[in-house]
Amino acid sequence: KNWPKIVRRRVNVNPKNTDLMSESMGVYRRDAKGGNSSLKFHRKGAGNSIDTPQSERKVSQRESDAPQKGCVRMADLIEINASRLSDIERNLALKKLSSNPHTINGVKNRSKLSFYEEMIGLLMFLFFPGCVIWCPVLMPVIAAFCFKKSLESAFVYLLVLALLTFFPHSKTSHFGNSPIFAILFKYTSLSYAWEAPLDKKKSPYMFVCPPHGVLPVSNLLFLIGLPHIWGFEFHGLTTDAALRLPILRQIMLWVGCKPATRKSAKKILESGMSIGISPGGVSEIFDTNNNDEVIFIKERKGFVKLALMTGTPIVPSYCFGTTKLFSCWYGQGDFLRKLSRKVGFGVVLVWGRFGLPIIHRYPLTTVSGAPIFVPLEKQPSQKMIDEYHLLFLTELKGLFDRNKAAYGWADKELVI
């Protein structure tokens, strides 16, 4: 009775095909004749269908559960608007679309784009996150022009700037359902793999997802795409400086970013919402040119303490490809590193495609492991924090090592 009459979705119709996706479309249709209700899957362009009596589906609970392991292309979930499907429908879609994450070689392949999709992707990524680079340069230029023209124009400019900087915004529901995001996911060829399903009834979760890279583009896309996978939304934590820059601030707030403070994070978790964080922050920018993957998390234990204080399961995750999205130069010594930590954002020379602040078309894959369940301790001891922090580091290292070969990074090491 819970099945809609027609639910359209993308499916893999060739059982011998181990690729991530198939271009065929299908329809789930519930037929009721003479009191006998059955669920049929009708393939596009095919006369046959797969009949499964509804009574059998009630008995077979496994079919409605999410696959224990899998890997999907995010663009395909966006196209079927998976976030608006019921849990059963979304889990069946994941089963049709997913493949084994440890046997797939296609995650390193770039998705095919038409000329118009390529142009849209370039313009969108030039706008965001490219605004992080061109906005601080353009703002003083416009200010100088306005002050030179007249005091009235200067006043209007400062008023608009103040509104963009301080006017309150909140997360926009289903912000990621726009068709434009399907193009952005194709542009980045973003895949999501999991080693254990996440039950939204057991949320909130704390997603700890390094690396930060020059800009955490893959983390933001994961923030948008997660509702299409597990059916629940979460807030990403970011530096306060990112929530003060006009344009960047508006977009970050619309997708659900919040200040990376303990007070803010605790409030979100206690409200029942999940959070995501990349603890390394701007410090990791200065190791993006390293041959191996370098993350700064060994001495950062605040997220573990917060998880214990709220009893929130920690989900170890890793974004493969984040460090390859931008090229950057930061010279020798630690001066720029220290300056960046002080101001809250990276002070480096950054460029992407065509020498512009547009991310390279490097395929991205985000992998999440099994949740680490922690006890609720309002006042956790340092020993307990250290134990669960070590457990997290062990799980994160194992997650990286198990998936790096499938991504094509068999020779890389994770340096913590």
Side-chain angles (χ1 to χ4, degrees):
K1 293 182 179 180
N2 294 329
W3 282 91
K5 292 184 178 180
I6 296 178
V7 178
R8 298 186 182 276
R9 68 199 45 211
R10 189 180 294 263
V11 295
N12 186 347
V13 297
N14 185 0
K16 297 181 180 181
N17 185 9
T18 59
D19 292 339
L20 288 174
M21 291 299 120
S22 172
E23 294 298 323
S24 301
M25 296 292 292
V27 175
Y28 275 109
R29 181 178 293 116
R30 186 183 61 181
D31 299 329
K33 295 182 180 179
N36 296 324
S37 179
S38 64
L39 183 69
K40 295 183 179 181
F41 174 70
H42 303 264
R43 290 175 181 159
K44 181 180 178 180
N48 63 332
S49 61
I50 303 172
D51 290 0
T52 304
Q54 200 171 23
S55 59
E56 292 183 12
R57 278 200 176 270
K58 289 183 178 179
V59 175
S60 181
Q61 183 65 32
R62 286 186 177 181
E63 293 189 22
S64 63
D65 293 338
Q68 294 299 306
K69 294 182 179 180
C71 182
V72 294
R73 293 277 192 184
M74 288 303 307
D76 293 270
L77 292 177
I78 297 291
E79 287 182 3
I80 65 173
N81 212 346
S83 65
R84 302 199 181 195
L85 299 178
S86 68
D87 293 341
I88 294 178
E89 294 164 353
R90 186 171 51 257
N91 290 340
L92 287 174
L94 287 176
K95 285 190 174 182
K96 292 292 182 181
L97 296 172
S98 65
S99 301
N100 191 319
H102 296 155
T103 59
I104 286 182
N105 295 316
V107 292
K108 264 320 269 299
N109 299 329
R110 295 191 301 184
S111 301
K112 293 182 179 180
L113 291 175
S114 67
F115 174 77
Y116 297 103
E117 289 175 330
E118 183 94 16
M119 291 299 102
I120 291 173
L122 288 172
L123 290 174
M124 289 300 297
F125 281 113
L126 177 62
F127 179 72
F128 178 82
C131 63
V132 177
I133 299 169
W134 57 257
C135 196
V137 177
L138 192 61
M139 284 168 54
V141 174
I142 297 176
F145 174 79
C146 292
F147 275 97
K148 186 177 180 180
K149 187 175 182 181
S150 67
L151 289 177
E152 290 80 3
S153 60
F155 175 76
V156 172
Y157 172 73
L158 292 176
L159 179 61
V160 172
L161 194 63
L163 289 174
L164 290 175
T165 305
F166 299 105
F167 189 79
H169 292 276
S170 60
K171 182 179 176 68
T172 302
S173 182
H174 302 295
F175 182 74
N177 289 333
S178 171
I180 197 71
F181 281 99
I183 297 177
L184 299 185
F185 280 114
K186 288 179 68 177
Y187 182 95
T188 57
S189 307
L190 180 64
S191 300
Y192 173 70
W194 64 95
E195 295 188 347
L198 299 178
D199 187 354
K200 68 178 183 180
K201 296 178 181 178
K202 296 180 181 179
S203 63
Y205 297 98
M206 178 186 293
F207 293 88
V208 182
C209 194
H212 183 278
V214 175
L215 291 171
V217 177
S218 53
N219 298 60
L220 292 173
L221 291 175
F222 181 51
L223 176 64
I224 297 170
L226 189 72
H228 297 273
I229 306 167
W230 304 124
F232 62 86
E233 299 182 352
F234 75 107
H235 289 288
L237 303 184
T238 184
T239 173
D240 190 62
L243 300 178
R244 285 289 175 259
L245 187 64
I247 301 178
L248 175 66
R249 173 180 182 268
Q250 277 68 36
I251 298 176
M252 297 283 273
L253 291 175
W254 285 339
V255 300
C257 290
K258 297 287 185 180
T261 62
R262 179 174 296 179
K263 180 180 179 181
S264 174
K266 187 176 180 181
K267 183 178 179 181
I268 296 169
L269 292 172
E270 289 176 345
S271 69
M273 288 284 289
S274 299
I275 62 172
I277 185 173
S278 183
V282 297
S283 296
E284 293 176 356
I285 296 176
F286 297 89
D287 284 285
T288 53
N289 295 336
N290 200 300
N291 292 329
D292 292 317
E293 293 286 281
V294 181
I295 60 174
F296 285 79
I297 198 173
K298 193 172 184 178
E299 302 299 329
R300 305 194 176 185
K301 306 177 182 180
F303 68 93
V304 177
K305 183 177 181 179
L306 178 62
L308 289 166
M309 291 172 63
T310 56
T312 305
I314 304 173
V315 182
S317 307
Y318 199 87
C319 295
F320 289 88
T322 299
T323 54
K324 305 300 181 183
L325 295 180
F326 284 102
S327 302
C328 66
W329 178 89
Y330 36 79
Q332 301 294 328
D334 292 334
F335 173 73
L336 291 179
R337 185 193 294 267
K338 293 178 180 178
L339 178 62
S340 298
R341 291 192 64 180
K342 189 172 183 178
V343 299
F345 57 87
V347 183
V348 294
L349 181 61
V350 177
W351 68 95
R353 292 186 71 182
F354 316 116
L356 298 172
I358 302 172
I359 66 172
H360 295 297
R361 279 210 68 196
Y362 202 91
L364 301 174
T365 298
T366 298
V367 186
S368 64
I372 301 173
F373 291 93
V374 301
L376 175 60
E377 292 286 343
K378 293 296 183 180
Q379 297 293 333
S381 64
Q382 189 61 47
K383 181 181 178 181
M384 179 177 287
I385 294 173
D386 292 341
E387 288 176 353
Y388 279 99
H389 184 260
L390 179 60
L391 175 60
F392 168 80
L393 294 181
T394 303
E395 292 296 320
L396 182 65
K397 184 69 165 60
L399 181 72
F400 181 88
D401 291 338
R402 287 191 298 271
N403 291 277
K404 64 179 183 179
Y407 185 69
W409 282 4
D411 58 334
K412 284 186 177 290
E413 295 295 332
L414 180 62
V415 180
I416 302 176

